[in-house]
């Protein structure tokens, strides 16, 4: 017998096949006619498949009638046309093998619905629920779309270091990596920590971004992208923050800001289109159970042209809106989520790309405009979600970037290699970052970012 997934077994062209299916019991219902109906799921799709187990099976009384939610089984049998509502096929079992039991008195995922907060306590079991199975499948499709988009456009996938001595964002909220004994920290004669005794001979951290290293390869190979975990030691317990999350960061030589904005728009359209085309069943679940606007949001991303406006114009729109914002709007301040949503959801009713931000609120590596006040930064805002991409054209002038680093209190000696990229064959180049979890939230409508990553890392939580 061929082993097939439940997703394939549910198709009409599978009717008549002798097949092996494997998965976990969702429900069992016994009939007075001497047989049982089993619903099993293997994670390949949202839907279960119904299995008919007759009483003449050798283990019907001893095992099959004891099956409950969570038990794992192998089913051998014939796939038949089903007369049941909402299913094209069902399986007539010729043999059922039980691999693992789940005591219904102890197994927490019974029919009762649990809150998202409660399910976070069972991160090892929550993938078995409909919600988290759907999140995992959509996340997988987004990741595939990311790689497909960049590979098809000639970008090289590179791996940048997770351990670094550089602070890309300059915020200082980084996790330190050390082998020093906290109970016996070596000190210099001046009483400072003696990092020469540490593994890397200097203060080292978990990376907040692969951008700086990505620029190295972009200025040698043209177009590259990184896709990996990043870390922020921000002590924030909100629905929007994680200590560990995944970022995709393209970087391209000979790219100016307009090229960067165009790439970001095409990128988001590709992700939205792929999810719409390949995750219909899961999207229907999110639309019904989580957020009734998820399909509309994706269709907007996929089909509508993105509005592009300077930061200064956006400030004027917000000031004249008549809205009473919780955070006042003024030139020189960063936008809050409420401002972003007003621009996308009410004013333009489409995705928006803001650009040319005040230099004072942006990192040192963003290219300065001729006005001396703004830099060639950009943020992409999605309807209902707000900022989903942040990027910029990078400063390629050695004198300018050196002065920017000094103004922000960075030691240029620590970034000698980064400055070398401006000394030797400098070139206009640009890039951006997309937080994978924010994208998954946009697609699924899940309200808390902790529910779109398999194992959330937050203050006080490093379980599993």
């Amino acid at each position: 017998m061929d082993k097939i997934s439940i997703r394939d077994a549910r198709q009409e062209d599978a009717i008549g096949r002798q097949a092996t299916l494997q998965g976990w019991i969702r429900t069992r219902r016994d009939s007075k006619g001497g047989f049982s109906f089993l619903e099993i799921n293997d994670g390949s799709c949202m839907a279960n498949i119904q299995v008919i187990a007759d009483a003449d099976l050798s283990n019907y009384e001893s095992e099959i009638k004891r099956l409950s939610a969570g038990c794992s089984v192998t089913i051998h049998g014939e796939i038949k046309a089903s007369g049941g509502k909402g299913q094209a096929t069902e399986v007539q079992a010729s043999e059922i093998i039980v691999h693992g039991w789940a005591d219904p008195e102890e197994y927490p995922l019974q029919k009762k619905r649990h809150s998202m907060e409660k399910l976070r306590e069972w991160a090892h079991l929550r993938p078995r629920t409909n919600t988290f199975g759907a999140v995992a499948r959509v996340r997988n499709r987004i990741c595939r779309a990311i790689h497909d988009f960049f590979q098809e456009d000639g970008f090289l996938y590179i791996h940048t270091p997770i351990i670094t001595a550089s602070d890309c964002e300059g915020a200082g909220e980084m996790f330190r990596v050390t082998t020093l004994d906290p109970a016996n920290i070596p000190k210099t004669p001046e009483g400072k920590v003696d990092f020469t005794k540490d593994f890397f001979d200097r203060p080292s951290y978990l990376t907040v971004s692969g951008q700086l290293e990505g620029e190295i390869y972009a200025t040698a190979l043209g177009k590259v992208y990184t896709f990996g975990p990043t870390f922020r030691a921000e002590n924030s317990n909100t629905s929007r923050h994680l200590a560990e999350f995944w970022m995709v960061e393209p970087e391209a030589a000979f790219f100016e800001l307009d090229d960067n904005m165009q790439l970001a728009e095409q990128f988001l359209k590709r992700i939205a289109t792929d999810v719409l085309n390949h995750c219909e069943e899961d999207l229907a679940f999110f639309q019904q159970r989580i957020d009734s606007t998820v399909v509309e949001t994706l269709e907007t991303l996929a089909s509508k042209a993105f509005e592009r406006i300077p930061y200064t114009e956006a400030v004027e729109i917000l000031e004249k809106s008549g809205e009473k914002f919780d955070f006042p709007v003024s030139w020189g301040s960063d936008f809050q989520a409420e401002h972003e949503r007003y621009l996308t959801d009410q004013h333009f009713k489409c995705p928006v790309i803001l650009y040319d931000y005040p230099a004072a609120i942006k990192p040192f590596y963003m290219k300065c405009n001729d006005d001396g006040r703004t830099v060639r930064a950009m943020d992409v805002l999605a309807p209902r979600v707000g900022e989903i991409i942040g990027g910029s054209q990078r400063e390629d002038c050695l004198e300018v970037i050196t002065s920017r680093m000094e103004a922000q209190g960075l030691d240029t000696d620590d970034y000698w290699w980064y400055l070398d990229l401006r000394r030797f064959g400098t070139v206009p180049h640009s890039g951006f970052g997309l937080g994978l979890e924010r994208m998954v939230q946009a697609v699924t409508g899940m309200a808390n970012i902790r529910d779109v990553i398999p194992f959330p890392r937050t203050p006080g939580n490093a379980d599993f």
Side-chain angles (χ1 to χ4, degrees):
M1 290 186 180
D2 295 332
K3 184 163 72 171
I4 65 173
S5 68
I6 288 176
R7 179 179 179 179
D8 291 339
R10 287 178 53 83
Q11 306 305 311
E12 290 187 3
D13 59 7
I15 293 172
R17 289 180 63 179
Q18 296 290 327
T20 297
L21 289 83
Q22 296 175 311
W24 291 264
I25 299 291
R26 288 292 177 88
T27 65
R28 188 198 83 241
R29 178 166 54 89
D30 299 326
S31 170
K32 294 180 180 179
F35 58 90
S36 296
F37 294 107
L38 309 176
E39 294 278 338
I40 69 168
N41 188 280
D42 65 357
S44 62
C45 60
M46 170 71 67
N48 307 324
I49 196 166
Q50 179 173 275
V51 176
I52 301 170
D54 288 335
D56 58 5
L57 293 175
S58 61
N59 60 341
Y60 182 76
E61 292 292 339
S62 62
E63 293 186 321
I64 294 172
K65 290 188 71 174
R66 293 171 49 211
L67 290 172
S68 59
C71 296
S72 56
V73 294
T74 290
I75 310 289
H76 300 300
E78 181 182 355
I79 301 173
K80 294 186 173 184
S82 174
K85 184 178 179 181
Q87 57 188 29
T89 65
E90 60 188 20
V91 178
Q92 180 67 53
S94 58
E95 183 182 17
I96 297 177
I97 302 168
V98 182
H99 297 287
W101 297 95
D103 187 341
E105 298 299 321
E106 297 183 6
Y107 184 58
L109 302 182
Q110 298 294 330
K111 288 184 179 180
K112 178 184 176 182
R113 292 184 66 180
H114 298 286
S115 68
M116 297 297 176
E117 290 81 3
K118 190 65 179 176
L119 288 171
R120 284 180 215 131
E121 298 177 14
W122 303 319
H124 60 305
L125 296 176
R126 70 178 185 170
R128 302 186 189 187
T129 65
N130 286 335
T131 300
F132 289 92
V135 168
R137 285 186 293 271
V138 168
R139 184 182 172 107
N140 173 73
R141 173 51 63 176
I142 292 171
C143 292
R144 178 171 175 175
I146 288 169
H147 283 295
D148 287 348
F149 174 82
F150 288 118
Q151 291 292 324
E152 291 166 11
D153 199 25
F155 281 72
L156 295 177
Y157 177 36
I158 64 167
H159 300 115
T160 51
I162 289 175
I163 299 173
T164 180
S166 303
D167 182 1
C168 176
E169 299 298 327
E173 296 168 338
M174 302 176 73
F175 289 102
R176 174 151 300 164
V177 177
T178 181
T179 56
L180 296 179
D181 181 358
N184 188 26
I185 298 292
K187 298 292 183 68
T188 65
E190 295 77 22
K192 298 181 179 180
V193 176
D194 186 359
F195 283 105
T196 63
K197 302 293 194 298
D198 205 354
F199 187 90
F200 291 109
D201 196 33
R202 70 198 64 196
S204 301
Y205 312 90
L206 295 180
T207 186
V208 298
S209 169
Q211 176 202 316
L212 301 188
E213 293 84 359
E215 289 185 52
I216 294 174
Y217 274 76
T219 53
L221 303 175
K223 297 192 296 186
V224 303
Y225 72 104
T226 74
F227 190 8
T230 53
F231 308 85
R232 298 281 171 91
E234 183 178 1
N235 191 15
S236 179
N237 256 314
T238 77
S239 62
R240 292 172 55 85
H241 292 91
L242 290 167
E244 175 186 294
F245 54 98
W246 284 68
M247 288 277 287
V248 55
E249 298 176 287
E251 199 75 29
F254 307 102
F255 257 49
E256 299 199 16
L257 185 62
D258 286 343
D259 303 308
N260 209 31
M261 290 192 285
Q262 182 66 17
L263 180 71
E265 180 171 347
Q266 293 172 339
F267 176 51
L268 289 178
K269 287 184 181 301
R270 172 60 180 273
I271 293 175
T273 300
D274 276 17
V275 173
L276 284 167
N277 289 342
H278 297 285
C279 300
E280 184 178 0
E281 185 181 42
D282 293 319
L283 286 179
F285 172 84
F286 292 121
Q287 182 85 4
Q288 180 182 5
R289 298 290 187 89
I290 304 297
D291 187 327
S292 62
T293 67
V294 293
V295 173
E296 179 185 358
T297 299
L298 278 175
E299 289 175 343
T300 297
L301 279 175
S303 62
K304 286 194 175 183
F306 290 20
E307 187 75 28
R308 302 181 186 184
I309 60 169
Y311 166 91
T312 300
E313 183 179 333
V315 170
E316 293 171 356
I317 291 172
L318 293 167
E319 288 178 334
K320 295 175 182 178
S321 67
E323 293 286 315
K324 293 188 181 300
F325 296 114
D326 293 334
F327 294 89
V329 179
S330 62
W331 199 95
S333 61
D334 216 347
F335 290 145
Q336 302 296 319
E338 59 178 343
H339 308 141
E340 296 167 349
R341 293 197 186 106
Y342 175 82
L343 293 170
T344 56
D345 297 7
Q346 297 184 53
H347 188 82
F348 290 108
K349 300 187 187 318
C350 69
V352 175
I353 304 180
L354 303 179
Y355 63 93
D356 288 354
Y357 277 78
I361 63 173
K362 291 298 181 181
F364 69 90
Y365 53 75
M366 296 185 175
K367 185 169 182 63
C368 292
N369 284 313
D370 293 338
D371 62 12
R373 296 202 311 157
T374 62
V375 290
R376 308 221 77 194
M378 69 173 202
D379 285 337
V380 183
L381 315 180
R384 188 177 54 79
V385 177
E387 180 190 342
I388 199 166
I389 279 178
S392 71
Q393 183 174 337
R394 316 311 190 188
E395 181 57 70
D396 54 274
C397 175
L398 176 62
E399 291 75 16
V400 173
I401 198 167
T402 301
S403 64
R404 288 270 287 159
M405 294 173 75
E406 290 172 347
Q408 294 189 15
L410 298 175
D411 187 344
T412 55
D413 289 341
D414 293 339
Y415 295 84
W416 62 270
W417 54 272
Y418 190 68
L419 297 177
D420 269 1
L421 302 180
R422 279 74 182 167
R423 291 189 179 98
F424 309 125
T426 189
V427 62
H429 60 288
S430 301
F432 61 78
L434 168 75
L436 174 62
E437 285 71 32
R438 292 281 176 88
M439 189 69 217
V440 179
Q441 280 189 283
V443 169
T444 61
M446 297 291 284
N448 196 310
I449 200 167
R450 303 177 191 202
D451 298 326
V452 295
I453 190 169
F455 305 102
R457 295 291 181 257
T458 54
N461 178 31
D463 293 337
F464 307 102

